[in-house]
Amino acid sequence: MLNVLTLPILTILLISGCSTTKSLQVFTKEVERMPLNLQLPPVETLEQVNVIIVTSKNQEEVFAKMKEANIDPVVFGYSDEDWELVTKNNVRMRNQIIKLRAIIEAYKEYYEPEEQEGKSNMFKDLGTDEDFVPKTFNKDD
Amino acid sequence: MLGQIKLVLFFLFLSSIGGVIWYVQHLQAENEILTLNNEKLNGAVEQQQALIQQQLRDIESKTAINEQITKNNAKLTADLNLANEKFNKVNASGERRDVGNLALSKPKSIERIERKRERQRARCFEIAQGSALTEEELNATKKSQINAECTNIANPNYTPY
């Protein structure tokens, strides 16, 4: 009779003594960093530079005109081939500026979409592919 | 003796009743914890789903940005090729355009063109830095109106003809 009562009690005690229900750990959410929100530098306006064409035939005329205009009669020049390279270098530098700006704007758009909304004017389509088909040029182009 | 056994049994009975009550209370407490845990888990599942959705949106956004940058870079490369094309254009008689020769024969004309080009180049640099396009640039549709140095960024409405 004693066993009949003690056994269930002991079993209940054993079972309940072993069972543990752990409370869940709550993971806190990381606080977002403040957006850096740096402004891009203002547009730098370049100085107007005048190109002077000096050939073996017109050199005297060119220097005379320079003297007349109170400009030192000296020319820092390029050969026609180098002028071609300078022009292409200009395109390269300009393209690089556009690419870097596009990357900065893309980063801003990705990480700070709300602040950036409606502000981007660089991260846009440059035009259709047809715009880049080699064009024909007139003499003056 | 029988009375003592009855007393022991009575206390055992009482303690077992107490044990049962304690056990039921314990189960109820556990049940509450489990219910709370379940709520937390449901919340966590919702958070995870929101996170997955956010990640999917991020991937989409990242892909779109990459595609746009690649596309624009390709066009800028085409722009450079265009500059190359200008200098190496072959005329109808099969001769390559030589700026040097042109400058020798028409120095004034080339000087005028290059000065105009230099102004256009300066403007191209401003646009590249983010300067807003003027109405004139936006509305340019004719060759005489465009900035020949960087038509792709300066005159978005110009279609070559």
Side-chain angles (χ1 to χ4, degrees), chain A residues 1-2 5-6 9 12-13 15-16 19-24 26 41-46 48-53 55-56 58 61 65 80-81 83-84 87-88 90-95 97-99 101-103 106 109-110 121-141, chain B residues 8-9 12 15-16 22-23 26 30 33-34 37 40-41 58 61-62 65 68-69 71-73 75-80 82-89 96-100 103-104 106-108 110-115 117-119 121-122 124-131 143 149-153 158 160-161:
Chain A
M1 184 66 182
L2 196 67
L5 285 170
T6 50
I9 291 166
I12 287 167
L13 282 173
I15 292 169
S16 60
S19 67
T20 51
T21 308
K22 284 178 186 171
S23 178
L24 279 183
V26 178
V43 174
E44 192 72 42
T45 309
L46 302 184
Q48 177 61 45
V49 179
N50 284 326
V51 177
I52 300 172
I53 305 284
T55 68
S56 51
N58 77 350
E61 186 194 340
K65 276 188 177 174
D80 59 339
E81 301 289 331
W83 178 245
E84 199 176 313
T87 309
K88 286 179 198 167
N90 266 327
V91 178
R92 285 196 182 94
M93 285 191 279
R94 194 177 66 221
N95 285 354
I97 292 171
I98 294 172
K99 285 176 190 176
R101 266 184 63 89
I103 287 172
E109 194 166 298
Y110 187 80
N121 65 345
M122 178 55 62
F123 190 66
K124 61 183 178 188
D125 197 352
L126 289 178
T128 59
D129 292 337
E130 287 74 36
D131 295 348
F132 296 91
V133 173
K135 301 166 190 171
T136 49
F137 293 95
N138 296 327
K139 270 185 178 178
D140 289 353
D141 280 347
Chain B
V8 168
L9 282 174
L12 276 173
S15 62
S16 67
W22 172 81
Y23 183 63
H26 173 73
E30 286 222 330
I33 292 170
L34 285 170
N37 283 356
K40 281 179 189 173
L41 281 170
D58 284 351
S61 165
K62 204 176 148 186
I65 288 170
Q68 190 67 61
I69 285 179
K71 203 172 151 192
N72 284 353
N73 283 354
K75 285 175 181 175
L76 292 173
T77 309
D79 197 23
L80 182 63
L82 205 64
N84 205 35
E85 175 88 5
K86 279 181 195 174
F87 282 103
N88 296 299
K89 187 174 157 50
R96 182 181 159 269
R97 173 187 269 180
D98 187 333
V99 179
L104 273 175
K106 298 170 188 170
K108 290 270 179 203
I110 296 295
E111 193 173 89
R112 185 174 49 81
I113 292 166
E114 283 303 332
R115 283 185 179 184
R117 282 281 176 84
E118 202 53 42
R119 281 196 299 276
R121 277 179 212 125
C124 290
F125 267 100
E126 289 173 11
I127 296 167
Q129 291 173 71
S131 172
K143 251 182 197 176
E149 284 295 310
C150 56
T151 316
N152 61 340
I153 56 170
Y158 172 71
Y161 51 86

